[in-house]
Amino acid sequence: MKILVCIKQVPDMESPFRPNGSATWFDESDLAFRMNEYDEYAVEEAVRLKEQLGGEPEITVLSIGPDRVIEAIKKALAIGCDRAVHILEPEVASREPWQIASIIAAYARDKQFDLLFTGMQSQDRGSAQVGVLVAELLGIPSTTTLVGFAWADGVVTATRELEGGVKGKVRLRTPALVTCQLGLNSPRYPTLPNIMKARKKEITTLQAGELSSEKPLTGSAAFRHPEKKGSGVVLEGSVDELVEKVLVILKDKTAVLR
Amino acid sequence: MKLLLVGEYREGRLLDITAELMGFAAAIGGEASLFLVGSAEEVPAFNGTLYLVDAKVYGEYNPEVHKQLLLKAVQEENPDLVVFVHSSYGWDLAPRLAASLKVAQVSEVIGFAGNAYEVGCCNAKMHRNVTPLTSKAVITIQAGAFPALQEGGTPVVKVLSTDVASTTEFVGYEPAEARDVNLAKAEIVVSAGRGIGKKENIEVIRSLAKAFGGELGASRPVVDAGWIDHGHQVGSTGQTVTPKLYVACGISGSIQHLAGMKKSGFILAINKDKDAPIGEVADVLVVADLLQFVPALTAKLS
Ligand SMILES: Cc1cc2nc3c(=O)[nH]c(=O)nc-3n(C[C@H](O)[C@H](O)[C@H](O)COP(=O)(O)OP(=O)(O)OC[C@H]3O[C@@H](n4cnc5c(N)ncnc54)[C@H](O)[C@@H]3O)c2cc1C
């Protein structure tokens, strides 16, 4: 069995964001990057399936972006992916979902992957499009928002998270693509021996432009802090002052303090 | 502008969210038609064309089948914009349609100006404008972003059918788990977010909840990490709460969390990040390390 896991590297969401020169996206300088949270579940699920099948499947992890994404790739290798493909794209920030999906599909097209795992969305763009677009471009079935996954005899049984706590169970025959939701599993931390072992794993570098030259279907502008709508107050200062101020406000504005 | 709205129907019921599509259509202006895999017995009231597919024949959501049926409606209607709700149905189906038509998709729209759509990004901390570069486009609108509208009227019904083979098999639904914690009735809810850092620190938040005489809530990562059980989760996939006082400790304020608590009477947020989007809805945002502030507040209250 051949498995592809697609991961993205995103900034730490607690970082202070500033627009880049054209305000199409954020300025990357001073940001710390990490693996997209949703993709951590995708990597973990793929590795669990490999373990379930006695190590037989070969897992390729793929990431598109500048050299910094190799850090996320190495983490995936240390968790248990076998080999990696780094698709070099220095301008990844200006590539929108259709272009990213086209690059991944162009790479995957002749590789006969049985299963593809992606996160359901990225934490930064949050479009929730790329996984489904890849499957559509490859002409294979897909399902999204997995909180449960099982594989047996070429059939995936997936539990999708719907609204209001309800879940939907679907079956699809491989080759297929699934997108992973938070809570699907408990992603493990890479261990030191596995980090060392991962250093020997192969990372192939490809150029994005050689895989796809699709033009963007959307444009981006006015990346900004949202306009403050509410009338809320922001309090800063020493802890003791803050506690006093909060108690005064709560007594004044709410009926909950007796 | 011609709009084709994609309504939602599940287990024999028209979902309320369909009215938000009507609200969006009214806000943006234009001629709206509706696509629905539903029932002739429960037809939404509006004046326009309803492309209706019989759910009894086609069953619950099936991506390939719904896509083919929707493509038929698009072919007949020739809309400029196809509009979904950003829901488990919308975010699953919209990219399939966009790929088939090879048109732009803009996800989770919260507003518009000219031909640009406003969307959130970076976990709702930032916004940006996304403009389709194709003449037709597909969008999903954020649940709750546009007020629901009961338009009234009687649609002209056109029934659609297909014989396309399905590629996924729907097995069934699992109902929501029974809840042992009822946050909905609580007057005060004090919630722990990922900012608590580790499981043991739940106790810090629990002590504050006790001091207030309130219930303990949590954001999803705290539940996913197994620090507390799902019964405590607040948000779109947890409980919706409307207490007199909601205290958010180390919670960033993602859309999905806000969906469960933004109607609270008074919102107090404690976050070390001044720019955290919880500030959008908080009446008071205390910029502090919760591990210092929360115990100090608890001590004063007890
Ligand atoms: C379909 C779907 C459904 C979802 N449903 C839900 C749901 O029902 N409920 C829900 O909550 N989420 C839900 N989510 C997840 C949601 O998108 C966010 O990932 C989640 O709400 C983030 O939780 P958080 O704010 O606790 O964590 P984070 O976003 O990681 O925020 C942690 C915050 O803590 C602050 N912080 C860190 N350390 C400290 C400190 N020492 N002192 C003070 N502040 C500190 C940080 O500045 C940050 O703002 C859903 C997501 C999807 C895609």
Side-chain angles (χ1 to χ4, degrees):
Chain A
M1 177 189 272
K2 287 179 73 183
I3 299 174
L4 181 69
V5 186
C6 303
I7 64 169
K8 180 179 185 179
Q9 201 194 31
V10 297
D12 189 323
M13 291 302 137
E14 290 174 26
S15 316
F17 289 100
R18 278 179 291 123
N20 61 15
S22 48
T24 51
W25 197 230
F26 48 71
D27 179 351
E28 277 205 9
S29 51
D30 305 332
L31 292 181
F33 284 83
R34 45 163 294 169
M35 194 192 300
N36 177 41
E37 195 182 353
Y38 297 82
D39 303 345
E40 289 178 359
Y41 293 92
V43 171
E44 177 66 31
E45 201 60 34
V47 172
R48 286 187 186 195
L49 179 59
K50 183 181 166 87
E51 289 166 349
Q52 176 198 327
L53 299 177
E56 185 276 319
E58 187 199 50
I59 309 176
T60 304
V61 57
L62 174 155
S63 191
I64 304 174
D67 282 336
R68 61 168 163 75
V69 309
I70 290 174
E71 202 189 318
I73 286 177
K74 283 190 174 152
K75 183 173 179 191
L77 290 173
I79 288 171
C81 295
D82 298 295
R83 48 189 298 278
V85 178
H86 170 210
I87 300 181
L88 188 64
E89 173 53 281
E91 296 304 317
V92 70
S94 61
R95 299 284 171 263
E96 41 83 81
W98 172 256
Q99 292 175 295
I100 295 293
S102 299
I103 294 168
I104 298 172
Y107 167 76
R109 190 153 284 128
D110 56 359
K111 306 283 189 304
Q112 269 91 45
F113 288 111
D114 299 285
L115 259 175
L116 293 86
F117 289 89
T118 72
M120 77 153 286
Q121 63 181 18
S122 60
Q123 289 171 280
D124 56 356
R125 252 174 230 257
S127 82
Q129 294 177 31
V130 172
V132 179
L133 289 176
V134 168
E136 291 293 303
L137 287 166
L138 294 175
I140 60 173
S142 63
T143 186
T144 60
T145 337
L146 264 65
V147 288
F149 172 90
W151 179 94
D153 304 323
V155 177
V156 170
T157 304
T159 308
R160 300 190 64 214
E161 183 178 67
L162 310 177
E163 285 69 30
V166 178
K167 291 167 189 157
K169 207 167 239 182
V170 296
R171 275 198 203 106
L172 43 170
R173 186 158 282 284
T174 56
L177 181 147
V178 296
T179 80
C180 305
Q181 165 66 319
L182 307 172
L184 168 62
N185 49 45
S186 315
R188 73 193 75 182
Y189 294 102
T191 60
L192 195 58
N194 286 340
I195 292 171
M196 304 306 283
K197 251 197 270 169
R199 291 199 178 149
K200 296 197 195 76
K201 291 180 180 173
E202 173 196 332
I203 304 179
T204 309
T205 305
L206 300 172
Q207 304 295 323
E210 286 169 15
L211 287 165
S212 165
S213 52
E214 284 292 325
K215 297 276 172 290
L217 301 183
T218 58
S220 176
F223 180 86
R224 62 187 183 277
H225 286 282
E227 301 77 32
K228 280 258 176 282
K229 284 198 199 91
S231 54
V233 292
V234 177
L235 300 180
E236 289 177 271
S238 77
V239 167
D240 291 343
E241 280 166 31
L242 288 170
V243 169
E244 288 309 324
K245 280 187 194 161
V246 164
L247 287 173
V248 169
I249 295 174
L250 289 182
K251 277 190 188 121
D252 189 30
K253 298 274 165 67
T254 74
V256 297
L257 286 191
R258 275 151 288 194
Chain B
M1 181 150 64
K2 276 182 88 175
L3 311 175
L4 176 61
L5 313 175
V6 182
E8 294 191 30
Y9 187 88
R10 187 181 297 159
E11 290 186 282
R13 268 192 49 237
L14 179 68
L15 302 193
D16 292 344
I17 211 88
T18 308
E20 293 185 22
L21 292 164
M22 300 287 179
F24 171 81
I28 200 165
E31 185 195 326
S33 54
L34 181 73
F35 170 87
L36 184 71
V37 180
S39 161
E41 281 151 36
E42 197 184 1
V43 164
F46 73 106
N47 290 313
T49 307
L50 172 65
Y51 293 93
L52 186 68
V53 179
D54 190 351
K56 285 216 181 70
V57 177
Y58 293 93
E60 296 297 303
Y61 176 45
N62 189 309
E64 188 61 25
V65 174
H66 282 216
K67 180 182 80 179
Q68 291 304 334
L69 290 160
L70 189 49
L71 280 167
K72 285 192 175 184
V74 169
Q75 205 171 23
E76 263 198 55
E77 185 67 19
N78 196 25
D80 304 297
L81 194 65
V82 184
V83 190
F84 297 79
V85 176
H86 197 71
S87 60
S88 61
Y89 181 68
W91 69 59
D92 192 282
L93 185 54
R96 302 176 197 271
L97 181 74
S100 296
L101 300 171
K102 205 184 163 184
V103 301
Q105 182 187 331
V106 187
S107 302
E108 210 166 2
V109 168
I110 53 178
F112 51 82
N115 59 348
Y117 297 100
E118 183 175 357
V119 302
C121 51
C122 301
N123 201 16
K125 225 170 148 172
M126 307 297 290
H127 285 188
R128 64 183 182 127
N129 294 346
V130 180
T131 309
L133 302 175
T134 52
S135 58
K136 285 186 192 311
V138 168
I139 66 168
T140 62
I141 58 169
Q142 186 178 94
F146 297 93
L149 179 73
Q150 308 291 348
E151 203 190 73
T154 313
V156 178
V157 178
K158 293 190 182 174
V159 175
L160 298 177
S161 61
T162 181
D163 50 16
V164 69
S166 93
T167 52
T168 51
E169 178 201 342
F170 176 75
V171 183
Y173 291 112
E174 283 177 18
E177 286 163 32
R179 285 183 186 128
D180 47 359
V181 193
N182 194 349
L183 298 178
K185 285 201 188 119
E187 292 212 333
I188 301 176
V189 176
V190 180
S191 288
R194 177 152 42 197
I196 64 169
K198 55 180 184 196
K199 184 174 182 174
E200 294 73 60
N201 290 338
I202 282 275
E203 297 314 319
V204 175
I205 312 303
R206 197 192 300 275
S207 301
L208 180 60
K210 268 211 192 105
F212 268 124
E215 293 283 347
L216 181 63
S219 70
R220 178 163 181 156
V222 174
V223 174
D224 285 343
W227 296 350
I228 197 167
D229 49 71
H230 183 258
H232 292 270
Q233 186 179 314
V234 173
S236 60
T237 48
Q239 302 194 47
T240 300
V241 300
T242 49
K244 289 187 180 145
L245 173 65
Y246 187 85
V247 187
C249 309
I251 293 177
S252 63
S254 66
I255 313 299
Q256 295 87 3
H257 191 80
L258 298 190
M261 47 63 77
K262 68 181 171 198
K263 298 210 173 101
S264 301
F266 193 90
I267 299 171
L268 168 65
I270 298 110
N271 202 300
K272 64 176 186 187
D273 179 4
K274 199 163 112 188
D275 290 334
I278 190 81
E280 290 288 293
V281 299
D283 295 284
V284 175
L285 170 62
V286 173
V287 183
D289 182 342
L290 69 90
L291 293 176
Q292 292 175 2
F293 177 82
V294 172
L297 180 61
T298 308
K300 278 277 175 193
L301 285 169
S302 326

